[in-house]
Amino acid sequence: MAERTAADLVVERLRAWRVPRAFGYPGEAIAPVVAALDRAGGDPEFVPARHEETASFMATGHAKFTGEMGVCLATQGPSAVQLLNGLYDAKLDSKPVVAIVGEDVAGPLGGAHQEIGLSRLFADVCNQFVHYARSAGQVPTLLDQAFRTAAATRSPVCVVLPRAVQEAAVPDLQSHAAGVITATPGEPLARVLPHEVDLAAAAQLLETGSRVAVVVGQGARDAADEVLALADRLGAGVASSLLGKPVLDERLPFHAGVLGEVGTRAAAELMGGCDRLLLVGTNNPWTGYLPMPGQVRTVQIDIDGRRIGSRYPVDVPLVGDAAETLRALLSRLPDRPNPRWRATVENSVDRWRRELADQAAAPAEPVNPRLVLQELSTRMPRTGSVAVDVGSVIYWYARHLELPPGVNAQLCGTLGSMGCALPYAVAAKLAAPDEPVLALVGDGAMQLNGLAELITVANHWSRWRDPRLVVLVLNNRDQSGTGGGRQPVHDPARRRPDVPYAGWARLLGLHGVRVDRPELVGAAWDEALAADRPCVVEAVVDARVPLSPPEPAFADLRGVFADGDAARRVREQVDRQLSVAAEDLV
């Protein structure tokens, strides 16, 4: 029998921490761990990516879609550098990821081939935990500490394993040798609830308001029922951050949609009219779309106390788990809905939804990108996942794609790095191979990472119980970096080289559909969602369609709420402005 090595201990610790797969790009310095994973027979599975950056995005995507720990592997030097983008994504969106990096420097340190100071390289992105293993006996304890730290701090961590350590024979771990600490796996996540005095203060503040608004973020992921119960008890309107879009049923008549630059006018109006604001699990960076400081009294709930008040002034901070904290609040709140305020919010939402339909129906050359997402919205599977890339596609996703309850959606929310959606989609599909997955990307992101990772899709799809992984590519050939009609795009120097995206999919043995006529958009989605294998939908869209960020507090709903005549005047003003905007668009 082959002698057990520290690389085998890595596999054992991954298995003990119930890690289903590790994503990476093999290389000499990490080869012993990859070989040990191969010997493990898929428990855990090693998923080779086409690039280290996409491997780190896959690990972060796994953490985002499953709520579990993501793991990525890389070798030293440039391979380690490529991990940084996905790890910064995990750091800024608070997801636990463990990076295991190999190092193989035979001679003296300082100028060796591919040598980089890994501790300094990862010191910022993995600031909670970066450690070297100096002996095989340290490996189990070091990995346990890394996993515990990642789970407790919701952040990426890094363990560096020299190749000599990976290949070293395993000592007797029962000997308690110097430097070896026995450890067992477990996630040290405590139950966190605010103090009673703070809960009482928050309840009093909210119940004395007459126009309550609730903004939910990704931290409210498991608290949808509690959010809705509180909103109904107070007659509140709700909105979401971009990362919080999947939390609530967007078909609710009082759901104003996404708040922020990519969001909706109804959400901006909600912020303009409220007198009480409840922030639940959100760290939304678009603070300019929140009410003017001093306009409202605010309660914020977050599991991480460092985030409370970091974006917006808060009257009552509540550090705690979202669902449990909301349940504690509900037990202290009387049933005091304000039907007039709720009706005002619903009227604003209804106007916005009619505007969205008009925007999607507006002519474009050749296809309106809003129409592409609107047609998908009516055909969305009832289960599954959506991965969204960075670019103009975020605007159309935020406004025009209505997510059914239970459909998870993730994006690189805070870092905003292009090229994340295909790696995310691969991670989501491997985690749930019996559910459909959609990836929404622009042509720039597809050329950046997507074309290569379609090879990974082609290598795995035949083992999926549900073969549907549909990739939408919005092909507008605009590489100006502005998009959305802010500048003309007829200049050849600013045109991205065209690629036959659907044809590339077919070349790999996948399905591909190219659509350049608006009347065929719906049929293209029907074909893609009925295909017996992954499919690329290439939609040739007009880069001149404006992004049209909403104006902060576009219409002050306080005036609408107070006076019926004022409401009519505001509606007439809004209708006139929309008419002018529609004429400009045409």
Side-chain angles (χ1 to χ4, degrees), residues 169-494:
V170 176
D172 180 7
L173 296 182
Q174 303 303 317
S175 65
H176 297 278
V180 177
I181 305 172
T182 56
T184 55
E187 297 183 12
L189 299 181
R191 182 189 184 202
V192 181
L193 274 173
H195 293 293
E196 291 291 327
V197 63
D198 295 323
L199 288 167
Q204 182 180 26
L205 186 150
L206 291 172
E207 72 174 275
T208 55
S210 58
R211 302 183 301 276
V212 181
V214 181
V215 178
V216 298
Q218 62 170 341
R221 176 177 176 174
D222 298 319
D225 291 341
E226 289 80 5
V227 170
L228 293 180
L230 184 142
D232 284 339
R233 185 163 296 183
L234 298 176
V238 301
S240 75
S241 70
L242 185 59
L243 290 174
K245 180 177 167 72
V247 170
L248 300 177
D249 185 352
E250 294 189 292
R251 297 169 298 183
L252 292 166
F254 52 90
H255 194 319
V258 172
L259 177 68
E261 181 179 332
V262 303
T264 75
R265 182 170 53 80
E269 290 180 346
L270 178 65
M271 294 299 100
C274 65
D275 64 359
R276 295 291 187 273
L277 180 62
L278 173 61
L279 303 171
V280 184
T282 176
N283 193 36
N284 194 341
W286 284 306
T287 55
Y289 287 85
L290 292 170
M292 291 293 293
Q295 173 187 320
V296 301
R297 304 285 304 281
T298 304
V299 175
Q300 184 175 357
I301 300 171
D302 204 290
I303 192 72
D304 187 345
R306 295 171 297 180
R307 301 216 164 161
I308 292 183
S310 64
R311 301 282 191 184
Y312 189 77
V314 173
D315 294 283
V316 182
L318 297 178
V319 179
D321 171 80
E324 291 208 54
T325 300
L326 287 169
R327 284 196 289 271
L329 267 181
L330 282 165
S331 68
R332 293 164 170 80
L333 283 172
D335 191 12
R336 294 182 58 185
N338 185 335
R340 292 182 62 198
W341 169 242
R342 174 63 71 83
T344 302
V345 173
E346 292 181 359
N347 288 338
S348 172
V349 172
D350 187 56
R351 289 196 306 273
W352 169 248
R353 289 175 178 169
R354 291 197 303 270
E355 182 183 337
L356 281 179
D358 292 341
Q359 290 178 354
E365 183 59 41
V367 176
N368 187 335
R370 293 163 166 161
L371 175 67
V372 179
L373 274 297
Q374 192 95 335
E375 290 287 347
L376 171 61
S377 190
T378 63
R379 295 168 169 81
M380 273 293 297
R382 300 295 98 183
T383 60
S385 302
V386 179
V388 188
D389 221 297
V390 173
S392 61
V393 68
I394 286 184
Y395 289 77
W396 319 136
Y397 156 76
R399 300 169 188 164
H400 292 271
L401 185 62
E402 187 178 83
L403 296 173
V407 171
N408 195 357
Q410 297 291 341
L411 63 152
C412 186
T414 309
L415 180 63
S417 179
M418 287 178 60
C420 61
L422 252 295
Y424 278 13
V426 169
K429 192 66 180 180
L430 291 173
D434 55 345
E435 294 186 351
V437 173
L438 291 99
L440 312 179
V441 306
D443 52 351
M446 195 64 183
Q447 290 186 23
L448 187 67
N449 283 335
L451 291 172
E453 288 310 326
L454 276 184
I455 300 172
T456 305
V457 173
N459 188 47
H460 284 271
W461 78 267
S462 62
R463 299 188 289 275
W464 297 337
R465 289 187 291 274
D466 184 331
R468 290 177 294 174
L469 191 160
V470 181
V471 182
L472 168 67
V473 181
L474 293 179
N475 183 6
N476 66 11
R477 298 183 61 194
D478 177 24
Q479 64 177 7
S480 67
T482 55
R486 295 181 183 179
Q487 295 180 15
V489 293
H490 55 266
D491 181 359
R494 293 175 52 247

Side-chain angles (χ1 to χ4, degrees), residues 112-136:
H113 179 59
Q114 291 192 329
E115 181 192 342
I116 288 178
L118 296 177
S119 293
R120 295 185 66 183
L121 178 70
F122 292 103
D124 180 59
V125 68
C126 298
N127 63 305
Q128 297 292 335
F129 189 97
V130 184
H131 286 284
Y132 271 78
R134 297 302 185 185
S135 68

Side-chain angles (χ1 to χ4, degrees), residues 71-87:
V71 174
C72 56
L73 310 177
T75 187
Q76 65 188 26
S79 180
V81 172
Q82 304 291 1
L83 290 181
L84 292 179
N85 218 21
L87 294 180

